[in-house]
Amino acid sequence: MFSANDLKNMDKDDVLGLLGLESKKGPTDWLLPTLGAFSVGLLVGAGLGLLMAPKAGNELRGDLRNRLQRGGQDSMANGDGQRRETANQNA
């Protein structure tokens, strides 16, 4: 049957398996894989977005470099790259 060493090495799932039972699955059992897949999707989407950008590679890298160096100052920029203040003045 089982020796003392076998019983020492058994964990909860082994004991429940011998009884024909299984442990109850909690929220982390489905939440962590879902978040992992979502994160991978975000990274792939961002990469594809950069690859399909309408600007040339050198221009795009220069824009990204400038935005990263300035920090969050461009968070108020609208879709065409102009700041809201200047966009409102031109309208």
Side-chain angles (χ1 to χ4, degrees):
M1 183 99 174
F2 293 107
S3 67
N5 285 334
D6 291 335
L7 291 175
K8 287 180 185 178
N9 294 331
M10 292 182 98
D11 63 356
K12 175 183 78 167
D13 290 328
D14 293 332
V15 173
L16 288 174
L18 288 173
L19 297 173
L21 302 172
E22 62 182 36
S23 61
K24 184 177 178 181
K25 297 189 185 292
T28 57
D29 291 331
W30 61 269
L31 183 64
L32 292 178
T34 303
L35 286 176
F38 181 73
S39 300
V40 168
L42 280 176
L43 291 174
V44 168
L48 287 175
L50 289 174
L51 289 174
M52 295 181 184
K55 292 183 178 182
N58 290 336
E59 275 184 69
L60 183 62
R61 284 190 296 271
D63 287 349
L64 288 174
R65 188 178 308 112
N66 290 338
R67 286 184 185 182
L68 289 174
Q69 286 173 351
R70 283 187 295 220
Q73 295 174 358
D74 282 342
S75 63
M76 294 174 40
N78 63 14
D80 61 359
Q82 295 179 339
R83 296 183 65 85
R84 287 188 183 158
E85 300 89 34
T86 58
N88 290 337
Q89 292 172 358
N90 293 337

Coordinates of all heavy atoms in Angstrom, one line a residue:
M1 N 0.8 -1.2 0.0 CA 0.0 0.0 0.0 C 0.9 1.2 0.0 O 1.6 1.5 -0.9 CB -0.9 -0.1 1.2 CG -1.9 1.0 1.3 SD -3.5 0.5 0.7 CE -4.4 1.9 1.1
F2 N 0.9 2.0 1.1 CA 1.7 3.2 1.2 C 2.7 3.1 2.3 O 2.3 2.6 3.4 CB 0.8 4.5 1.4 CG -0.1 4.8 0.3 CD1 -1.4 4.6 0.3 CD2 0.5 5.4 -0.9 CE1 -2.2 4.9 -0.7 CE2 -0.4 5.7 -1.9 CZ -1.7 5.5 -1.9
S3 N 3.9 3.6 2.1 CA 4.9 3.6 3.2 C 4.8 5.0 3.9 O 4.1 5.9 3.4 CB 6.3 3.4 2.6 OG 6.7 4.5 1.8
A4 N 5.5 5.1 5.0 CA 5.5 6.4 5.7 C 6.1 7.5 4.9 O 5.6 8.6 4.9 CB 6.2 6.2 7.0
N5 N 7.1 7.2 4.1 CA 7.7 8.2 3.2 C 6.7 8.7 2.2 O 6.7 9.9 1.8 CB 9.0 7.7 2.6 CG 10.1 7.6 3.5 OD1 10.1 8.4 4.5 ND2 11.1 6.7 3.3
D6 N 5.9 7.8 1.6 CA 4.9 8.2 0.6 C 3.9 9.1 1.2 O 3.4 10.1 0.6 CB 4.2 6.9 0.1 CG 5.1 6.1 -0.8 OD1 6.1 6.6 -1.4 OD2 4.8 4.9 -1.0
L7 N 3.5 8.8 2.5 CA 2.5 9.7 3.1 C 3.1 11.0 3.4 O 2.3 12.0 3.4 CB 2.0 9.0 4.4 CG 1.1 7.7 4.2 CD1 0.8 7.1 5.5 CD2 -0.1 8.1 3.4
K8 N 4.3 11.1 3.8 CA 5.0 12.4 4.1 C 5.1 13.3 2.8 O 4.9 14.5 2.9 CB 6.4 12.2 4.6 CG 6.4 11.7 6.0 CD 7.9 11.5 6.5 CE 8.0 10.9 7.8 NZ 9.4 10.7 8.2
N9 N 5.2 12.6 1.7 CA 5.4 13.4 0.4 C 4.1 13.8 -0.3 O 4.1 14.5 -1.3 CB 6.3 12.6 -0.6 CG 7.7 12.4 -0.1 OD1 8.2 13.3 0.7 ND2 8.3 11.3 -0.5
M10 N 3.0 13.3 0.3 CA 1.7 13.6 -0.3 C 1.2 15.0 0.0 O 1.4 15.5 1.2 CB 0.6 12.6 0.1 CG 0.9 11.2 -0.4 SD -0.4 10.1 0.2 CE -1.4 10.1 -1.3
D11 N 0.7 15.7 -0.9 CA 0.1 17.0 -0.7 C -1.5 16.9 -0.7 O -2.0 15.8 -0.8 CB 0.6 18.1 -1.6 CG 0.2 17.8 -3.1 OD1 -0.4 16.7 -3.3 OD2 0.4 18.6 -3.9
K12 N -2.1 18.0 -0.5 CA -3.6 18.0 -0.4 C -4.2 17.4 -1.6 O -5.2 16.6 -1.5 CB -4.0 19.4 -0.2 CG -5.5 19.6 -0.1 CD -5.9 21.1 0.0 CE -5.7 21.7 -1.3 NZ -6.3 23.1 -1.4
D13 N -3.7 17.8 -2.8 CA -4.4 17.3 -4.0 C -4.2 15.8 -4.2 O -5.1 15.1 -4.7 CB -3.7 18.0 -5.2 CG -4.2 19.5 -5.3 OD1 -5.3 19.8 -4.9 OD2 -3.4 20.3 -5.8
D14 N -3.1 15.2 -3.7 CA -2.9 13.8 -3.8 C -3.9 13.0 -2.9 O -4.5 12.0 -3.3 CB -1.5 13.4 -3.3 CG -0.4 13.9 -4.3 OD1 -0.7 14.0 -5.5 OD2 0.7 14.2 -3.8
V15 N -4.1 13.6 -1.7 CA -5.1 12.9 -0.8 C -6.5 13.0 -1.3 O -7.2 12.0 -1.3 CB -5.0 13.6 0.6 CG1 -6.1 13.0 1.5 CG2 -3.6 13.3 1.2
L16 N -6.8 14.2 -1.8 CA -8.2 14.4 -2.4 C -8.3 13.5 -3.6 O -9.4 12.9 -3.8 CB -8.4 15.8 -2.8 CG -8.6 16.8 -1.6 CD1 -8.7 18.2 -2.1 CD2 -9.9 16.4 -0.8
G17 N -7.3 13.3 -4.4 CA -7.4 12.4 -5.6 C -7.6 11.0 -5.2 O -8.3 10.2 -5.9
L18 N -7.0 10.5 -4.1 CA -7.2 9.2 -3.6 C -8.7 8.9 -3.2 O -9.2 7.8 -3.3 CB -6.3 8.8 -2.5 CG -4.8 8.6 -2.8 CD1 -4.0 8.5 -1.5 CD2 -4.6 7.4 -3.7
L19 N -9.3 10.0 -2.7 CA -10.7 9.9 -2.3 C -11.7 10.2 -3.4 O -12.9 10.1 -3.2 CB -10.9 10.9 -1.1 CG -10.1 10.7 0.1 CD1 -10.3 11.9 1.1 CD2 -10.5 9.4 0.8
G20 N -11.2 10.5 -4.6 CA -12.0 10.8 -5.7 C -12.6 12.2 -5.7 O -13.6 12.4 -6.3
L21 N -11.9 13.1 -5.0 CA -12.4 14.5 -4.9 C -11.3 15.4 -5.6 O -10.2 14.9 -5.9 CB -12.6 14.8 -3.5 CG -13.6 14.0 -2.7 CD1 -13.5 14.4 -1.2 CD2 -14.9 14.2 -3.2
E22 N -11.7 16.6 -5.7 CA -10.7 17.6 -6.2 C -10.9 18.9 -5.4 O -12.0 19.1 -4.9 CB -10.8 17.9 -7.7 CG -12.1 18.4 -8.1 CD -12.1 18.6 -9.6 OE1 -11.5 17.8 -10.4 OE2 -12.7 19.6 -10.1
S23 N -9.9 19.7 -5.4 CA -10.0 21.0 -4.6 C -10.8 22.0 -5.4 O -10.9 22.0 -6.6 CB -8.6 21.6 -4.3 OG -7.9 21.8 -5.5
K24 N -11.5 22.9 -4.6 CA -12.3 23.9 -5.2 C -11.4 25.0 -5.9 O -10.5 25.4 -5.3 CB -13.2 24.5 -4.1 CG -14.2 25.5 -4.7 CD -15.1 26.0 -3.5 CE -16.0 27.1 -4.0 NZ -16.8 27.6 -3.0
K25 N -11.8 25.3 -7.1 CA -11.0 26.3 -7.8 C -11.5 27.7 -7.4 O -12.6 28.0 -7.3 CB -11.2 26.2 -9.3 CG -10.6 24.8 -9.8 CD -10.6 24.8 -11.3 CE -10.2 23.4 -11.8 NZ -8.8 23.1 -11.5
G26 N -10.5 28.6 -7.1 CA -10.8 29.9 -6.7 C -10.7 30.9 -7.8 O -10.4 30.5 -9.0
P27 N -10.9 32.2 -7.5 CA -10.8 33.2 -8.6 C -9.4 33.3 -9.2 O -9.3 33.7 -10.4 CB -11.2 34.5 -7.9 CG -11.6 34.2 -6.6 CD -11.3 32.7 -6.3
T28 N -8.4 33.1 -8.5 CA -7.0 33.2 -9.1 C -6.7 32.1 -10.1 O -5.9 32.3 -10.9 CB -6.0 33.2 -8.0 OG1 -6.1 31.9 -7.2 CG2 -6.1 34.3 -7.0
D29 N -7.4 31.0 -10.0 CA -7.2 30.0 -11.0 C -7.6 30.4 -12.4 O -7.1 29.8 -13.4 CB -8.0 28.7 -10.6 CG -7.4 28.0 -9.4 OD1 -6.2 28.2 -9.1 OD2 -8.2 27.4 -8.6
W30 N -8.5 31.3 -12.6 CA -8.9 31.7 -13.9 C -8.5 33.2 -14.2 O -8.3 33.6 -15.3 CB -10.4 31.6 -14.2 CG -11.3 32.4 -13.2 CD1 -11.8 32.0 -12.0 CD2 -11.7 33.8 -13.3 NE1 -12.5 33.0 -11.4 CE2 -12.4 34.1 -12.2 CE3 -11.4 34.7 -14.3 CZ2 -13.0 35.4 -12.0 CZ3 -12.0 36.0 -14.1 CH2 -12.7 36.3 -13.0
L31 N -8.3 34.0 -13.1 CA -8.0 35.4 -13.2 C -6.5 35.6 -13.7 O -6.3 36.4 -14.6 CB -8.2 36.1 -11.9 CG -7.9 37.6 -12.0 CD1 -9.0 38.3 -12.9 CD2 -8.0 38.2 -10.6
L32 N -5.6 34.9 -13.2 CA -4.2 35.1 -13.6 C -3.9 34.7 -15.0 O -3.2 35.4 -15.7 CB -3.2 34.3 -12.6 CG -3.2 34.9 -11.2 CD1 -2.3 34.0 -10.3 CD2 -2.8 36.3 -11.1
P33 N -4.4 33.5 -15.5 CA -4.2 33.2 -16.9 C -4.9 34.2 -17.8 O -4.3 34.6 -18.9 CB -4.8 31.8 -17.1 CG -4.7 31.2 -15.7 CD -4.9 32.4 -14.8
T34 N -6.0 34.7 -17.4 CA -6.7 35.7 -18.2 C -6.0 37.0 -18.3 O -5.8 37.6 -19.4 CB -8.1 35.9 -17.7 OG1 -8.8 34.7 -17.6 CG2 -8.9 36.9 -18.5
L35 N -5.4 37.5 -17.2 CA -4.6 38.7 -17.2 C -3.4 38.5 -18.0 O -2.9 39.5 -18.7 CB -4.3 39.1 -15.8 CG -5.5 39.7 -15.0 CD1 -5.0 40.0 -13.5 CD2 -6.0 41.0 -15.6
G36 N -2.8 37.3 -17.9 CA -1.6 37.1 -18.7 C -1.8 37.1 -20.2 O -1.1 37.8 -21.0
A37 N -2.9 36.5 -20.6 CA -3.3 36.6 -22.1 C -3.7 38.0 -22.5 O -3.3 38.4 -23.6 CB -4.5 35.6 -22.3
F38 N -4.3 38.7 -21.6 CA -4.7 40.1 -21.9 C -3.4 41.0 -22.1 O -3.3 41.8 -23.0 CB -5.6 40.7 -20.8 CG -6.0 42.1 -21.1 CD1 -7.0 42.4 -22.0 CD2 -5.5 43.1 -20.3 CE1 -7.4 43.7 -22.3 CE2 -5.9 44.4 -20.6 CZ -6.8 44.7 -21.5
S39 N -2.4 40.8 -21.2 CA -1.2 41.5 -21.3 C -0.4 41.2 -22.6 O 0.1 42.1 -23.2 CB -0.3 41.2 -20.1 OG -1.0 41.5 -18.9
V40 N -0.4 39.9 -22.9 CA 0.3 39.6 -24.2 C -0.4 40.2 -25.4 O 0.2 40.7 -26.3 CB 0.3 38.0 -24.3 CG1 0.8 37.6 -25.7 CG2 1.3 37.4 -23.3
G41 N -1.8 40.2 -25.3 CA -2.5 40.8 -26.4 C -2.2 42.3 -26.5 O -2.2 42.9 -27.6
L42 N -2.1 43.0 -25.4 CA -1.8 44.4 -25.4 C -0.4 44.7 -26.0 O -0.3 45.6 -26.8 CB -1.8 45.0 -24.0 CG -3.1 45.3 -23.3 CD1 -2.9 45.8 -21.9 CD2 -3.8 46.4 -24.1
L43 N 0.6 43.9 -25.7 CA 1.9 44.0 -26.2 C 1.9 43.7 -27.7 O 2.6 44.5 -28.5 CB 2.9 43.1 -25.5 CG 3.2 43.5 -24.0 CD1 4.1 42.4 -23.4 CD2 3.9 44.8 -24.0
V44 N 1.2 42.7 -28.1 CA 1.2 42.4 -29.6 C 0.5 43.5 -30.3 O 0.9 43.9 -31.4 CB 0.5 41.0 -29.8 CG1 0.2 40.8 -31.3 CG2 1.4 39.9 -29.3
G45 N -0.6 44.0 -29.8 CA -1.4 45.1 -30.4 C -0.6 46.3 -30.5 O -0.6 47.0 -31.6
A46 N 0.2 46.7 -29.5 CA 1.0 47.9 -29.5 C 2.1 47.7 -30.6 O 2.4 48.6 -31.3 CB 1.6 48.1 -28.1
G47 N 2.7 46.5 -30.6 CA 3.8 46.3 -31.6 C 3.2 46.4 -33.0 O 3.9 47.0 -33.9
L48 N 2.1 45.8 -33.3 CA 1.5 45.9 -34.6 C 1.1 47.3 -35.0 O 1.2 47.7 -36.1 CB 0.3 44.9 -34.7 CG 0.5 43.5 -34.8 CD1 -0.8 42.7 -34.7 CD2 1.3 43.1 -36.0
G49 N 0.6 48.0 -34.0 CA 0.3 49.4 -34.2 C 1.5 50.2 -34.6 O 1.4 51.1 -35.5
L50 N 2.6 50.0 -34.0 CA 3.9 50.7 -34.3 C 4.3 50.3 -35.7 O 4.9 51.1 -36.5 CB 4.9 50.4 -33.3 CG 4.7 51.1 -31.9 CD1 5.8 50.6 -31.0 CD2 4.8 52.6 -32.1
L51 N 4.2 49.0 -36.0 CA 4.6 48.5 -37.4 C 3.8 49.1 -38.5 O 4.3 49.3 -39.6 CB 4.6 47.0 -37.4 CG 5.6 46.3 -36.6 CD1 5.4 44.8 -36.6 CD2 7.0 46.6 -37.1
M52 N 2.5 49.4 -38.2 CA 1.6 49.8 -39.2 C 1.4 51.3 -39.2 O 0.4 51.9 -39.7 CB 0.3 49.1 -39.1 CG 0.4 47.6 -39.4 SD -1.2 46.9 -39.3 CE -0.8 45.2 -39.5
A53 N 2.2 52.0 -38.4 CA 2.1 53.5 -38.3 C 2.3 54.2 -39.6 O 3.1 53.7 -40.5 CB 3.1 54.0 -37.3
P54 N 1.6 55.3 -39.9 CA 1.7 56.0 -41.1 C 3.0 56.7 -41.3 O 3.3 57.2 -42.4 CB 0.5 57.0 -41.1 CG 0.2 57.2 -39.7 CD 0.6 55.9 -39.0
K55 N 3.8 56.8 -40.3 CA 5.1 57.5 -40.4 C 6.2 56.6 -40.8 O 6.1 55.4 -40.5 CB 5.4 58.2 -39.1 CG 4.5 59.4 -38.8 CD 5.0 60.1 -37.5 CE 4.1 61.2 -37.2 NZ 4.5 61.9 -36.0
A56 N 7.3 57.1 -41.3 CA 8.5 56.3 -41.5 C 9.1 55.9 -40.2 O 8.9 56.5 -39.2 CB 9.5 57.0 -42.4
G57 N 9.9 54.8 -40.2 CA 10.5 54.3 -39.0 C 11.3 55.4 -38.3 O 11.3 55.5 -37.0
N58 N 12.2 56.1 -39.0 CA 13.0 57.1 -38.4 C 12.2 58.2 -37.7 O 12.5 58.7 -36.6 CB 14.0 57.7 -39.4 CG 15.0 56.7 -39.8 OD1 15.3 55.8 -39.1 ND2 15.6 56.9 -41.0
E59 N 11.1 58.7 -38.4 CA 10.3 59.7 -37.8 C 9.6 59.2 -36.6 O 9.5 59.9 -35.6 CB 9.2 60.1 -38.9 CG 9.6 61.1 -39.8 CD 8.4 61.5 -40.7 OE1 7.4 62.1 -40.2 OE2 8.4 61.1 -41.9
L60 N 9.0 58.0 -36.7 CA 8.3 57.4 -35.5 C 9.2 57.2 -34.3 O 8.8 57.6 -33.2 CB 7.7 56.0 -35.9 CG 6.9 55.3 -34.9 CD1 5.7 56.2 -34.5 CD2 6.4 54.0 -35.4
R61 N 10.4 56.7 -34.5 CA 11.3 56.5 -33.4 C 11.7 57.9 -32.8 O 11.8 58.0 -31.6 CB 12.6 55.8 -33.9 CG 12.3 54.3 -34.0 CD 13.6 53.5 -34.3 NE 14.3 53.9 -35.5 CZ 14.0 53.3 -36.7 NH1 13.2 52.4 -36.8 NH2 14.7 53.7 -37.8
G62 N 11.9 58.9 -33.7 CA 12.3 60.2 -33.2 C 11.1 60.8 -32.4 O 11.3 61.4 -31.3
D63 N 9.9 60.6 -32.8 CA 8.7 61.1 -32.1 C 8.6 60.4 -30.7 O 8.3 61.0 -29.7 CB 7.4 60.9 -32.9 CG 7.3 61.9 -34.0 OD1 8.1 62.9 -34.1 OD2 6.4 61.7 -34.9
L64 N 8.8 59.1 -30.8 CA 8.7 58.3 -29.5 C 9.8 58.8 -28.5 O 9.5 58.9 -27.3 CB 8.8 56.8 -29.8 CG 7.6 56.2 -30.4 CD1 7.8 54.8 -30.8 CD2 6.3 56.3 -29.5
R65 N 11.0 59.0 -29.1 CA 12.1 59.4 -28.2 C 11.8 60.7 -27.6 O 12.0 61.0 -26.4 CB 13.4 59.4 -29.0 CG 14.6 59.7 -28.2 CD 15.9 59.7 -29.1 NE 16.0 58.5 -29.9 CZ 15.9 58.5 -31.3 NH1 15.7 59.6 -31.9 NH2 16.0 57.3 -31.9
N66 N 11.3 61.7 -28.4 CA 11.0 63.0 -27.9 C 9.9 62.9 -26.8 O 10.0 63.6 -25.8 CB 10.5 63.9 -29.0 CG 11.7 64.3 -29.9 OD1 12.8 64.2 -29.5 ND2 11.4 64.7 -31.1
R67 N 8.9 62.2 -27.0 CA 7.8 62.0 -26.1 C 8.2 61.4 -24.8 O 7.8 61.8 -23.7 CB 6.6 61.2 -26.7 CG 5.8 62.0 -27.7 CD 4.7 61.2 -28.1 NE 4.0 61.9 -29.2 CZ 2.9 61.4 -29.8 NH1 2.4 60.3 -29.4 NH2 2.4 62.1 -30.8
L68 N 9.1 60.4 -24.9 CA 9.6 59.8 -23.6 C 10.5 60.7 -22.9 O 10.5 60.7 -21.6 CB 10.3 58.5 -24.0 CG 9.4 57.3 -24.4 CD1 10.3 56.2 -24.9 CD2 8.5 56.9 -23.3
Q69 N 11.3 61.5 -23.6 CA 12.2 62.5 -22.9 C 11.4 63.6 -22.2 O 11.8 64.0 -21.1 CB 13.2 63.1 -23.9 CG 14.2 62.1 -24.3 CD 15.1 62.7 -25.4 OE1 14.8 63.7 -26.0 NE2 16.2 61.9 -25.7
R70 N 10.3 64.0 -22.8 CA 9.5 65.1 -22.2 C 8.6 64.5 -21.1 O 8.0 65.3 -20.3 CB 8.6 65.7 -23.3 CG 9.4 66.7 -24.1 CD 8.4 67.4 -25.0 NE 7.8 66.5 -25.9 CZ 7.6 66.7 -27.2 NH1 7.9 67.9 -27.7 NH2 7.0 65.8 -28.0
G71 N 8.4 63.2 -21.0 CA 7.6 62.6 -20.0 C 6.1 62.7 -20.3 O 5.7 62.5 -21.5
G72 N 5.3 63.1 -19.4 CA 3.9 63.1 -19.6 C 3.4 64.4 -20.1 O 2.2 64.7 -20.1
Q73 N 4.2 65.3 -20.6 CA 3.8 66.6 -21.1 C 2.9 66.5 -22.3 O 2.1 67.3 -22.6 CB 5.0 67.5 -21.4 CG 5.8 67.8 -20.2 CD 7.1 68.6 -20.6 OE1 7.3 68.8 -21.8 NE2 7.9 69.0 -19.7
D74 N 3.0 65.4 -23.1 CA 2.2 65.2 -24.3 C 0.9 64.5 -24.0 O 0.3 64.1 -25.0 CB 3.0 64.5 -25.4 CG 4.0 65.4 -26.1 OD1 3.9 66.6 -26.0 OD2 5.0 64.9 -26.7
S75 N 0.6 64.3 -22.8 CA -0.6 63.6 -22.5 C -1.9 64.4 -22.9 O -2.9 63.8 -23.1 CB -0.7 63.2 -21.0 OG -0.8 64.4 -20.2
M76 N -1.7 65.7 -23.2 CA -2.8 66.5 -23.6 C -2.9 66.7 -25.1 O -3.7 67.4 -25.6 CB -2.8 67.9 -22.9 CG -2.9 67.8 -21.4 SD -2.7 69.4 -20.5 CE -3.5 70.5 -21.6
A77 N -2.1 65.9 -25.8 CA -2.0 66.1 -27.3 C -3.2 65.4 -27.9 O -3.7 64.4 -27.4 CB -0.8 65.4 -27.8
N78 N -3.8 65.9 -29.0 CA -4.9 65.3 -29.6 C -4.4 64.4 -30.7 O -3.2 64.1 -30.8 CB -5.9 66.3 -30.2 CG -5.3 67.2 -31.2 OD1 -4.2 66.9 -31.8 ND2 -5.9 68.3 -31.5
G79 N -5.3 63.8 -31.5 CA -4.9 62.8 -32.5 C -3.9 63.2 -33.5 O -3.2 62.4 -34.0
D80 N -3.9 64.5 -33.9 CA -3.0 64.9 -35.0 C -1.6 65.4 -34.5 O -0.8 66.0 -35.2 CB -3.6 65.9 -35.9 CG -4.0 67.2 -35.2 OD1 -3.8 67.3 -34.0 OD2 -4.5 68.1 -35.9
G81 N -1.4 65.2 -33.2 CA -0.1 65.5 -32.6 C 0.0 67.0 -32.1 O 1.0 67.4 -31.6
Q82 N -1.0 67.8 -32.3 CA -1.0 69.1 -31.8 C -1.5 69.2 -30.4 O -2.4 68.4 -30.0 CB -1.9 70.1 -32.7 CG -1.4 70.2 -34.1 CD -2.3 71.1 -34.9 OE1 -3.4 71.3 -34.5 NE2 -1.8 71.7 -36.0
R83 N -1.0 70.1 -29.6 CA -1.5 70.2 -28.3 C -2.9 70.9 -28.3 O -3.2 71.6 -29.3 CB -0.6 71.0 -27.4 CG 0.8 70.3 -27.2 CD 1.7 71.1 -26.3 NE 1.2 71.2 -25.0 CZ 1.4 70.3 -24.0 NH1 2.0 69.2 -24.3 NH2 0.9 70.5 -22.8
R84 N -3.7 70.6 -27.3 CA -5.1 71.1 -27.4 C -5.2 72.7 -27.4 O -6.0 73.2 -28.1 CB -5.8 70.7 -26.1 CG -6.2 69.2 -26.2 CD -7.1 68.8 -25.1 NE -7.3 67.4 -25.1 CZ -7.7 66.7 -24.1 NH1 -7.9 67.2 -23.0 NH2 -7.9 65.4 -24.3
E85 N -4.2 73.3 -26.8 CA -4.2 74.8 -26.8 C -4.0 75.3 -28.2 O -4.7 76.2 -28.6 CB -3.2 75.4 -25.9 CG -3.3 75.0 -24.4 CD -2.5 73.7 -24.1 OE1 -1.5 73.5 -24.7 OE2 -3.0 72.9 -23.2
T86 N -3.1 74.7 -28.9 CA -2.8 75.2 -30.3 C -3.9 74.8 -31.2 O -4.2 75.5 -32.2 CB -1.4 74.7 -30.8 OG1 -1.4 73.3 -30.7 CG2 -0.3 75.3 -29.9
A87 N -4.5 73.6 -31.0 CA -5.6 73.1 -31.8 C -6.8 74.0 -31.7 O -7.5 74.3 -32.7 CB -5.9 71.7 -31.5
N88 N -7.1 74.5 -30.5 CA -8.2 75.4 -30.3 C -8.0 76.8 -30.9 O -8.9 77.4 -31.3 CB -8.5 75.5 -28.8 CG -9.1 74.3 -28.2 OD1 -9.6 73.4 -28.9 ND2 -8.9 74.1 -26.9
Q89 N -6.7 77.2 -30.9 CA -6.4 78.5 -31.5 C -6.6 78.5 -33.0 O -6.9 79.5 -33.6 CB -5.0 79.0 -31.1 CG -4.8 79.3 -29.6 CD -3.4 79.5 -29.3 OE1 -2.5 79.4 -30.1 NE2 -3.2 79.8 -28.0
N90 N -6.2 77.3 -33.6 CA -6.3 77.2 -35.1 C -7.7 77.0 -35.5 O -8.0 77.2 -36.7 CB -5.5 76.0 -35.5 CG -4.0 76.3 -35.3 OD1 -3.6 77.4 -35.2 ND2 -3.2 75.2 -35.3
A91 N -8.7 76.7 -34.7 CA -10.0 76.4 -35.1 C -10.9 77.6 -35.3 O -10.6 78.7 -35.1 CB -10.7 75.5 -34.0

